[in-house]
Amino acid sequence: MAGPSSVLVVGASAAGLCTAEALRRKGYTGRLTVLGGELHLPYDRPPLSKQILSGAWTPDRVRLRTEDALAGLDAEFLLADPAIGLDPATRTVRTASGRTLRGEVVVVATGARPCALPGQAGLAGVHVLRTLDDALALRAGLAASSRLVVVGDGVLGAEVAATARTLGLDVTLTGPRPAPMAGTLGPLVANLLAEVHAEHGVRLRMGGRVAALAGQDGTVTGVRLEDGEVLPADIVVVAIGADPATEWLGGSGLPLDDGLVCDSRCRAAEGIYAVGDVARRHDERLGGLVRLENRTNAAEQAGVVAANILGADLSYSPVPYFWTDQFAAKLQIHGTLPTHADADVTVVDGDLAARRFVARYSHAGRVTGVLGWNMPKQTRLRRQELLETHTDRTSRSVLTPTAVPGGDDDPDVRSGHRAGRPPVLPHGPGGGLPVRPAS
C-alpha cells in the first residue's frame, strides 16, 4: 500500500501501539519506529489501580502484547528515551539521550502527566498513579503503611481508595465534590457509590478543599483542608487529574491548548498527527474541541489516524466509553452523563436499591449517555438508544460504537484475551524484539 516512507510514533503507550498495529493491519510496509519514555514495553493502564495495586497481578500481566506479537510488527521500539523537542518543518524529534529521529509522518502519542499539589515533590510518602512504576511504588508504600488519604474524588481516586481498603488500610477519601465521581456520574449514582464506599469502611470527607500537605522531617503526616482540619496519614495518593504531556512541544509552533490541538482528522499540521490522551481534536458532531482520557478512545482513534496517514479522509467522532470496578460494583458508561440540575436520569432496567440497574441520561429530550451498574448485557443493549441519537452528520465521519469489556468488540478480546483474563506473557526482554533503550 502506498504511504509515507517512514512513520515515527512518539509514545509507546496503548495509543502509540494501536497506531502502529493499525498501520500494519492496513497494509503499510514502510519504516516504523516507536519511541517511548519508559523502559517498559507497551502496557495497559486500567489494571494499575486495581489488579497491580492489590498484588493480584504481577507486572508482566499488564503487557499489551507478547514479544512475538510485537516482533511481528516489524517496528523498532526505542525505549527509556523521552522526546524533548520537535521541529514540525522537518518532522525531526530530539530525545533526552541526544538522538535525532525523523519520520515522514510523526504521530504524537505522549499521553498525560498527573497533576501535583504544591509542596508534594519534597515529601516522602506522597504518590501519584499513572505509570507501572508508580503503581509498584505505591503498592510497596501501602504494604508498609496503615493510614491512607486519597486526595481526589474522580474515578482514579475512588478506585485507589477501594483497592487500598480491600488491603486492610484505614482509608480516607477527600475531594471538593459531594460524593465520589459526582462530577462524572451525577448525584443519583454518585450518592449510591458513596454508600458502597462507606459500607466498606472508607471514610468520606467530601466537599472540602485541600489547603496543603502536612509533613514532618521530610515525610508526609497528613492532609490539611481549607477549614483547618487535618486528615492524618502515613501515605497519601494525589489523584486530582492529569495534564496532557505537551511540554516537549514547547517552541515547536504547534497549537497547544489543553493538548495538541488537531482538526477533525486528528491532524495538528502537515505530516503530524496526535492520538490518545494528548490529542485535543475538533469534533464535527459536537462543533468544538474535545480531549478524551480513556482506554477505548486510544484504540479507536488510532485506527482513524492510521487510515488518514495512508490517504483516507476520515473525521473522528466517537461515543465515549469507560468503565470502573470498585468493590463489587462494575460501572460501564457510554456517552456523556449530564450532571447539572435539569438533567433527566431514568432507571430503565433493574433496580437501584438492588444495585443492579441501567440508567439513561437525557438532556433537552435527547439521550446523551447510558450507565450500567452490574448489568453488562443490558447496558450493551441500551447503548443502541444512544447510538441512534449520534447519527453520522457527514458521509466521511467515523462514529465509533464503543467497545464493551468482554464483548466481541472489546480491544482486549480482539487482541486474543478477554478482559480480566490476560495471557501469560514471557518474562524479561528477548525473543528477537528490536528494543533499544537509550545508552
Side-chain angles (χ1 to χ4, degrees):
M1 172 177 286
S5 61
S6 60
V7 176
L8 171 59
V9 180
V10 185
S13 57
L17 172 64
C18 288
T19 302
E21 290 180 325
L23 284 167
R24 293 301 193 215
R25 193 164 55 244
K26 295 175 186 297
Y28 178 63
T29 59
R31 181 163 57 89
L32 186 55
T33 304
V34 180
L35 175 69
E38 296 182 60
L39 180 61
H40 306 289
L41 289 167
Y43 60 87
D44 213 11
R45 296 189 191 277
L48 299 183
S49 57
K50 299 177 281 290
Q51 293 92 339
I52 292 294
L53 192 57
S54 70
W57 286 9
T58 54
D60 62 299
R61 293 188 67 176
V62 295
R63 198 178 299 172
L64 283 168
R65 303 291 182 266
T66 65
E67 293 184 6
D68 285 346
L70 292 177
L73 284 176
D74 189 26
E76 184 177 26
F77 285 78
L78 307 176
L79 303 178
D81 196 9
I84 61 171
L86 169 63
D87 180 352
T90 62
R91 293 187 279 282
T92 300
V93 172
R94 293 178 292 109
T95 75
S97 73
R99 284 186 176 118
T100 299
L101 306 171
R102 186 185 181 282
E104 187 175 344
V105 169
V106 173
V107 179
V108 177
T110 45
R113 302 190 190 283
C115 299
L117 291 171
Q120 176 177 328
L123 282 178
V126 182
H127 294 257
V128 295
L129 180 51
R130 175 73 187 182
T131 69
L132 176 57
D133 290 340
D134 290 339
L136 296 176
L138 177 56
R139 188 168 81 182
L142 293 177
S145 305
S146 60
R147 294 183 301 180
L148 166 69
V149 172
V150 179
V151 179
D153 52 26
V155 59
L156 178 60
E159 287 184 349
V160 170
T163 301
R165 187 68 193 118
T166 62
L167 293 174
L169 275 79
D170 182 343
V171 178
T172 300
L173 176 63
T174 186
R177 296 180 180 87
M181 296 186 65
T184 302
L185 307 177
L188 180 69
V189 179
N191 288 339
L192 184 61
L193 187 61
E195 291 179 11
V196 171
H197 276 259
E199 289 169 3
H200 283 84
V202 176
R203 184 177 299 104
L204 299 175
R205 181 58 174 87
M206 312 308 298
R209 295 187 177 274
V210 172
L213 294 170
Q216 184 176 357
D217 300 326
T219 300
V220 71
T221 58
V223 175
R224 181 176 293 107
L225 303 182
E226 285 186 344
D227 64 4
E229 180 184 1
V230 176
L231 307 175
D234 44 26
I235 186 169
V236 171
V237 173
V238 177
I240 55 174
D243 291 325
T246 57
E247 67 286 346
W248 68 283
L249 296 171
S252 68
L254 293 173
L256 304 176
D257 181 10
D258 186 36
L260 177 55
V261 178
C262 306
D263 62 17
S264 61
R265 274 63 181 166
C266 308
R267 182 176 51 227
E270 183 65 29
I272 299 176
Y273 294 80
V275 64
D277 294 2
V278 74
R280 191 175 184 215
R281 57 175 174 81
H282 177 73
D283 190 302
E284 292 183 347
R285 177 175 52 82
L286 298 177
L289 292 174
V290 176
R291 186 172 71 86
L292 296 176
E293 293 183 14
N294 61 64
R295 175 65 176 83
T296 305
N297 174 68
E300 301 291 357
Q301 189 177 17
V304 174
V305 168
N308 288 340
I309 288 172
L310 297 179
D313 185 30
L314 301 175
S315 67
Y316 180 58
S317 185
V319 176
Y321 170 75
F322 76 96
W323 73 94
T324 178
D325 299 328
Q326 299 172 38
F327 299 111
K330 174 181 282 292
L331 280 67
Q332 296 171 299
I333 296 94
H334 298 269
T336 302
L337 308 185
T339 58
H340 38 72
D342 57 347
D344 180 20
V345 183
T346 305
V347 174
V348 292
D349 287 300
D351 179 43
L352 198 73
R355 297 178 182 174
R356 190 171 180 272
F357 62 91
V358 179
R360 181 177 60 214
Y361 288 65
S362 303
H363 177 63
R366 175 175 170 269
V367 178
T368 64
V370 173
L371 177 147
W373 183 307
N374 289 345
M375 292 190 82
K377 292 182 179 179
Q378 293 85 346
T379 304
R380 183 169 181 168
L381 293 173
R382 287 288 180 178
R383 71 173 177 161
Q384 187 59 38
E385 298 178 22
L386 177 63
L387 295 177
E388 290 170 357
T389 69
H390 288 67
T391 53
D392 189 357
R393 292 186 175 180
T394 70
S395 61
R396 292 189 170 196
S397 68
V398 171
L399 180 62
T400 305
T402 54
V404 178
D408 292 339
D409 55 354
D410 180 2
D412 283 340
V413 174
R414 290 198 300 266
S415 67
H417 63 277
R418 291 192 176 273
R421 293 177 57 196
V424 177
L425 300 176
H427 293 270
L433 185 66
V435 177
R436 290 199 288 117
S439 56

Coordinates of all heavy atoms in Angstrom, one line a residue, residues 179-243:
A179 N -19.7 13.7 46.6 CA -19.6 12.2 46.6 C -18.6 11.8 45.6 O -18.2 12.5 44.6 CB -21.0 11.6 46.2
P180 N -18.1 10.6 45.7 CA -17.1 10.1 44.7 C -17.7 10.1 43.3 O -18.8 9.6 43.1 CB -16.8 8.7 45.2 CG -17.2 8.7 46.7 CD -18.3 9.6 46.8
M181 N -16.9 10.6 42.4 CA -17.3 10.7 41.0 C -18.5 11.4 40.7 O -19.2 11.3 39.6 CB -17.4 9.2 40.4 CG -16.1 8.4 40.4 SD -16.3 6.8 39.6 CE -16.6 7.3 37.9
A182 N -18.9 12.4 41.6 CA -20.1 13.1 41.4 C -20.0 14.0 40.1 O -21.0 14.2 39.4 CB -20.4 14.0 42.6
G183 N -18.8 14.5 39.8 CA -18.7 15.3 38.6 C -18.8 14.5 37.3 O -19.0 15.1 36.3
T184 N -18.8 13.2 37.4 CA -18.9 12.4 36.2 C -20.3 11.7 36.2 O -20.9 11.6 35.1 CB -17.9 11.3 36.2 OG1 -16.6 11.9 36.2 CG2 -18.0 10.4 35.0
L185 N -20.8 11.2 37.3 CA -22.0 10.4 37.4 C -23.3 11.1 37.7 O -24.3 10.6 37.4 CB -21.8 9.2 38.4 CG -20.5 8.4 38.3 CD1 -20.5 7.4 39.4 CD2 -20.5 7.7 37.0
G186 N -23.1 12.3 38.3 CA -24.3 13.0 38.8 C -24.7 12.5 40.2 O -24.2 11.4 40.6
P187 N -25.6 13.2 40.9 CA -25.9 12.9 42.3 C -26.5 11.5 42.5 O -26.2 10.9 43.5 CB -26.8 14.0 42.7 CG -27.4 14.6 41.4 CD -26.3 14.4 40.4
L188 N -27.4 11.1 41.6 CA -28.2 9.8 41.9 C -27.2 8.7 42.1 O -27.2 7.9 43.1 CB -29.2 9.6 40.8 CG -30.0 8.3 41.0 CD1 -31.0 8.4 42.1 CD2 -30.7 8.0 39.7
V189 N -26.3 8.4 41.1 CA -25.4 7.3 41.1 C -24.2 7.5 42.0 O -23.8 6.6 42.7 CB -25.0 6.9 39.7 CG1 -24.1 5.7 39.7 CG2 -26.2 6.6 38.8
A190 N -23.8 8.8 42.0 CA -22.6 9.1 42.9 C -22.9 8.9 44.4 O -22.1 8.4 45.1 CB -22.1 10.5 42.6
N191 N -24.1 9.2 44.8 CA -24.5 9.0 46.2 C -24.6 7.5 46.5 O -24.3 7.1 47.6 CB -25.9 9.7 46.5 CG -25.8 11.2 46.5 OD1 -24.7 11.8 46.7 ND2 -26.9 11.9 46.3
L192 N -25.0 6.7 45.5 CA -25.1 5.3 45.7 C -23.6 4.7 45.8 O -23.4 3.9 46.7 CB -25.8 4.6 44.6 CG -26.0 3.1 44.7 CD1 -26.8 2.7 45.9 CD2 -26.7 2.5 43.4
L193 N -22.7 5.3 45.0 CA -21.3 4.9 45.1 C -20.7 5.3 46.5 O -19.9 4.5 47.1 CB -20.5 5.5 44.0 CG -19.1 5.0 43.8 CD1 -19.0 3.5 43.5 CD2 -18.4 5.8 42.7
A194 N -21.1 6.4 47.0 CA -20.7 6.8 48.3 C -21.1 5.9 49.4 O -20.4 5.5 50.3 CB -21.2 8.2 48.6
E195 N -22.4 5.4 49.3 CA -22.8 4.4 50.2 C -22.0 3.1 50.2 O -21.7 2.5 51.2 CB -24.3 4.0 49.9 CG -25.3 5.1 50.2 CD -26.7 4.7 49.8 OE1 -26.9 3.5 49.6 OE2 -27.6 5.6 49.7
V196 N -21.6 2.7 49.0 CA -20.8 1.5 48.9 C -19.5 1.7 49.5 O -19.0 0.8 50.3 CB -20.6 1.1 47.4 CG1 -19.6 0.0 47.2 CG2 -22.0 0.7 46.7
H197 N -18.8 2.8 49.3 CA -17.5 3.1 49.9 C -17.7 3.1 51.4 O -16.9 2.5 52.2 CB -17.0 4.4 49.4 CG -16.2 4.2 48.1 ND1 -14.8 4.2 48.0 CD2 -16.6 4.1 46.8 CE1 -14.4 4.0 46.8 NE2 -15.5 4.0 46.0
A198 N -18.7 3.8 51.9 CA -18.9 3.9 53.4 C -19.1 2.6 54.0 O -18.6 2.3 55.1 CB -20.0 4.9 53.7
E199 N -19.9 1.8 53.3 CA -20.2 0.4 53.9 C -19.0 -0.4 54.0 O -18.9 -1.3 54.9 CB -21.3 -0.3 53.0 CG -22.7 0.3 53.1 CD -23.6 -0.2 52.0 OE1 -23.2 -1.0 51.3 OE2 -24.8 0.3 52.0
H200 N -18.0 -0.2 53.1 CA -16.8 -1.0 53.2 C -15.7 -0.3 54.1 O -14.6 -0.8 54.1 CB -16.2 -1.1 51.8 CG -16.9 -2.2 51.0 ND1 -18.1 -1.9 50.3 CD2 -16.7 -3.5 50.8 CE1 -18.5 -3.0 49.7 NE2 -17.7 -4.0 50.0
G201 N -16.1 0.8 54.7 CA -15.2 1.4 55.7 C -14.3 2.5 55.2 O -13.5 3.0 56.0
V202 N -14.6 3.0 54.0 CA -13.9 4.2 53.5 C -14.4 5.4 54.2 O -15.7 5.6 54.2 CB -14.0 4.3 52.0 CG1 -13.3 5.6 51.6 CG2 -13.3 3.1 51.3
R203 N -13.6 6.2 54.8 CA -14.0 7.4 55.5 C -14.1 8.5 54.4 O -13.1 8.9 53.8 CB -13.1 7.8 56.6 CG -13.5 9.1 57.4 CD -12.5 9.4 58.5 NE -12.4 8.3 59.5 CZ -11.4 7.5 59.5 NH1 -10.4 7.6 58.7 NH2 -11.4 6.5 60.5
L204 N -15.3 9.1 54.2 CA -15.5 10.1 53.2 C -15.5 11.5 53.8 O -16.3 11.8 54.6 CB -16.9 9.8 52.4 CG -17.0 8.5 51.7 CD1 -18.4 8.3 51.2 CD2 -16.0 8.4 50.6
R205 N -14.6 12.2 53.3 CA -14.5 13.7 53.8 C -14.7 14.5 52.5 O -13.7 15.0 51.9 CB -13.2 13.9 54.4 CG -13.0 15.4 54.9 CD -14.1 15.7 55.9 NE -13.9 17.1 56.5 CZ -14.3 18.2 55.9 NH1 -14.9 18.2 54.8 NH2 -14.0 19.4 56.5
M206 N -16.0 14.6 52.1 CA -16.3 15.2 50.8 C -16.7 16.7 51.0 O -17.0 17.1 52.1 CB -17.4 14.5 50.1 CG -17.2 12.9 50.1 SD -15.7 12.4 49.4 CE -15.8 13.0 47.8
G207 N -16.6 17.4 49.9 CA -16.9 18.8 49.9 C -15.9 19.7 50.5 O -16.2 20.9 50.7
G208 N -14.7 19.2 50.7 CA -13.6 20.1 51.3 C -12.5 20.2 50.3 O -12.3 19.4 49.5
R209 N -11.8 21.3 50.4 CA -10.7 21.6 49.5 C -9.4 21.5 50.3 O -9.3 21.9 51.5 CB -10.8 22.9 48.8 CG -12.0 23.0 47.9 CD -12.0 24.3 47.1 NE -13.1 24.3 46.2 CZ -13.0 23.8 44.9 NH1 -11.9 23.2 44.5 NH2 -14.1 23.9 44.1
V210 N -8.3 21.0 49.7 CA -7.1 20.8 50.3 C -6.3 22.1 50.3 O -6.2 22.8 49.3 CB -6.2 19.7 49.6 CG1 -4.8 19.7 50.1 CG2 -6.9 18.4 49.7
A211 N -5.8 22.5 51.5 CA -5.0 23.7 51.6 C -3.5 23.4 51.5 O -2.8 24.1 50.8 CB -5.2 24.4 53.0
A212 N -3.1 22.3 52.1 CA -1.7 21.9 52.0 C -1.5 20.5 52.5 O -2.3 19.9 53.1 CB -0.8 22.9 52.9
L213 N -0.3 20.0 52.2 CA 0.1 18.7 52.7 C 0.9 19.0 54.0 O 1.7 19.9 54.1 CB 1.0 17.9 51.8 CG 0.3 17.5 50.5 CD1 1.4 17.0 49.5 CD2 -0.7 16.4 50.8
A214 N 0.6 18.2 55.1 CA 1.3 18.3 56.3 C 2.5 17.3 56.4 O 2.3 16.2 55.9 CB 0.4 18.1 57.5
G215 N 3.6 17.7 56.9 CA 4.7 16.8 57.0 C 5.6 17.1 58.2 O 5.6 18.2 58.8
Q216 N 6.5 16.2 58.4 CA 7.5 16.4 59.5 C 8.8 15.6 59.1 O 8.7 14.4 58.7 CB 7.0 15.8 60.8 CG 7.9 16.0 62.0 CD 7.3 15.6 63.3 OE1 6.1 15.1 63.4 NE2 8.1 15.7 64.4
D217 N 9.9 16.3 59.2 CA 11.2 15.7 58.8 C 11.2 15.1 57.4 O 11.7 14.1 57.1 CB 11.6 14.6 59.8 CG 11.7 15.2 61.2 OD1 12.1 16.3 61.4 OD2 11.4 14.4 62.2
G218 N 10.5 15.9 56.5 CA 10.5 15.4 55.1 C 9.6 14.3 54.7 O 9.6 13.8 53.6
T219 N 8.7 13.9 55.7 CA 7.8 12.8 55.4 C 6.3 13.3 55.6 O 6.1 14.0 56.6 CB 8.0 11.6 56.3 OG1 9.4 11.2 56.1 CG2 7.1 10.5 56.1
V220 N 5.4 12.9 54.8 CA 4.0 13.3 54.9 C 3.4 12.8 56.2 O 3.7 11.6 56.6 CB 3.2 12.9 53.7 CG1 3.0 11.4 53.7 CG2 1.9 13.7 53.6
T221 N 2.6 13.6 56.9 CA 1.9 13.2 58.1 C 0.4 13.4 58.0 O -0.3 13.0 58.9 CB 2.4 13.9 59.3 OG1 2.2 15.4 59.1 CG2 3.9 13.6 59.6
G222 N 0.0 14.0 56.9 CA -1.5 14.3 56.8 C -1.8 15.2 55.7 O -0.9 15.8 55.0
V223 N -3.1 15.5 55.5 CA -3.6 16.5 54.5 C -4.4 17.5 55.3 O -5.3 17.2 56.0 CB -4.5 15.7 53.5 CG1 -5.1 16.7 52.5 CG2 -3.6 14.7 52.7
R224 N -4.0 18.8 55.1 CA -4.7 19.9 55.7 C -5.8 20.5 54.8 O -5.5 20.9 53.7 CB -3.7 21.0 56.2 CG -4.4 22.1 56.9 CD -3.4 23.2 57.4 NE -2.5 22.6 58.5 CZ -1.3 22.2 58.3 NH1 -0.7 22.4 57.1 NH2 -0.6 21.7 59.3
L225 N -7.0 20.5 55.3 CA -8.1 21.1 54.5 C -8.2 22.6 54.7 O -7.6 23.1 55.7 CB -9.4 20.4 54.8 CG -9.4 18.9 54.6 CD1 -10.8 18.4 55.0 CD2 -9.0 18.5 53.2
E226 N -8.9 23.3 53.9 CA -9.1 24.7 54.0 C -9.7 25.2 55.3 O -9.5 26.3 55.8 CB -9.8 25.3 52.8 CG -9.0 25.3 51.5 CD -9.7 26.0 50.4 OE1 -10.9 26.2 50.5 OE2 -9.0 26.4 49.4
D227 N -10.6 24.3 55.8 CA -11.3 24.7 57.1 C -10.4 24.4 58.3 O -10.8 24.6 59.5 CB -12.6 23.9 57.2 CG -12.4 22.4 57.3 OD1 -11.3 21.9 57.4 OD2 -13.5 21.7 57.3
G228 N -9.1 24.0 58.1 CA -8.2 23.7 59.2 C -8.1 22.3 59.7 O -7.2 21.9 60.4
E229 N -9.1 21.5 59.3 CA -9.0 20.1 59.7 C -7.8 19.4 59.0 O -7.5 19.6 57.9 CB -10.3 19.3 59.3 CG -10.3 17.9 59.7 CD -11.5 17.1 59.2 OE1 -12.4 17.8 58.5 OE2 -11.7 15.9 59.4
V230 N -7.1 18.5 59.8 CA -6.0 17.7 59.3 C -6.4 16.3 59.2 O -6.8 15.7 60.3 CB -4.7 17.9 60.1 CG1 -3.6 17.0 59.6 CG2 -4.3 19.4 60.1
L231 N -6.3 15.7 58.1 CA -6.6 14.3 57.9 C -5.3 13.5 58.1 O -4.4 13.6 57.2 CB -7.2 14.0 56.5 CG -8.4 14.8 56.1 CD1 -8.8 14.5 54.7 CD2 -9.6 14.6 57.1
P232 N -5.1 12.8 59.2 CA -3.8 12.1 59.4 C -3.5 11.0 58.4 O -4.5 10.3 58.0 CB -4.0 11.6 60.8 CG -5.4 11.4 61.1 CD -6.1 12.5 60.3
A233 N -2.3 10.9 58.1 CA -1.9 9.8 57.1 C -0.4 9.5 57.2 O 0.4 10.4 57.6 CB -2.2 10.3 55.7
D234 N -0.1 8.3 56.9 CA 1.4 8.0 56.7 C 1.7 7.7 55.3 O 2.8 7.4 54.9 CB 1.8 6.8 57.6 CG 0.9 5.7 57.7 OD1 0.1 5.5 56.7 OD2 0.9 4.9 58.7
I235 N 0.6 7.8 54.4 CA 0.8 7.7 53.0 C -0.3 8.4 52.3 O -1.5 8.4 52.8 CB 0.9 6.2 52.5 CG1 1.3 6.2 51.0 CG2 -0.4 5.5 52.8 CD1 1.6 4.8 50.5
V236 N -0.1 9.2 51.2 CA -1.1 10.0 50.6 C -1.0 9.7 49.1 O 0.1 9.6 48.5 CB -0.8 11.5 50.8 CG1 -1.7 12.4 49.9 CG2 -1.1 11.8 52.3
V237 N -2.1 9.6 48.4 CA -2.2 9.5 47.0 C -2.9 10.8 46.5 O -4.0 11.1 46.9 CB -3.0 8.2 46.5 CG1 -3.2 8.3 45.0 CG2 -2.2 7.0 46.9
V238 N -2.3 11.4 45.5 CA -2.8 12.6 44.9 C -3.4 12.2 43.5 O -2.6 11.8 42.6 CB -1.7 13.7 44.8 CG1 -2.3 14.9 44.0 CG2 -1.2 14.1 46.1
A239 N -4.7 12.3 43.4 CA -5.4 11.9 42.2 C -6.3 13.0 41.7 O -7.5 12.9 41.8 CB -6.1 10.6 42.4
I240 N -5.7 14.1 41.4 CA -6.5 15.3 41.1 C -6.5 15.7 39.6 O -6.7 16.8 39.2 CB -6.0 16.5 41.9 CG1 -4.5 16.8 41.6 CG2 -6.3 16.3 43.4 CD1 -3.9 18.0 42.3
G241 N -6.3 14.7 38.8 CA -6.4 14.9 37.3 C -5.0 14.8 36.7 O -4.0 14.5 37.3
A242 N -5.0 15.0 35.4 CA -3.8 14.9 34.6 C -3.8 15.9 33.5 O -4.8 16.3 33.0 CB -3.7 13.5 33.9
D243 N -2.6 16.4 33.2 CA -2.4 17.4 32.1 C -1.7 16.7 30.9 O -0.9 15.8 31.1 CB -1.4 18.5 32.6 CG -2.1 19.4 33.6 OD1 -3.3 19.6 33.5 OD2 -1.3 19.9 34.5

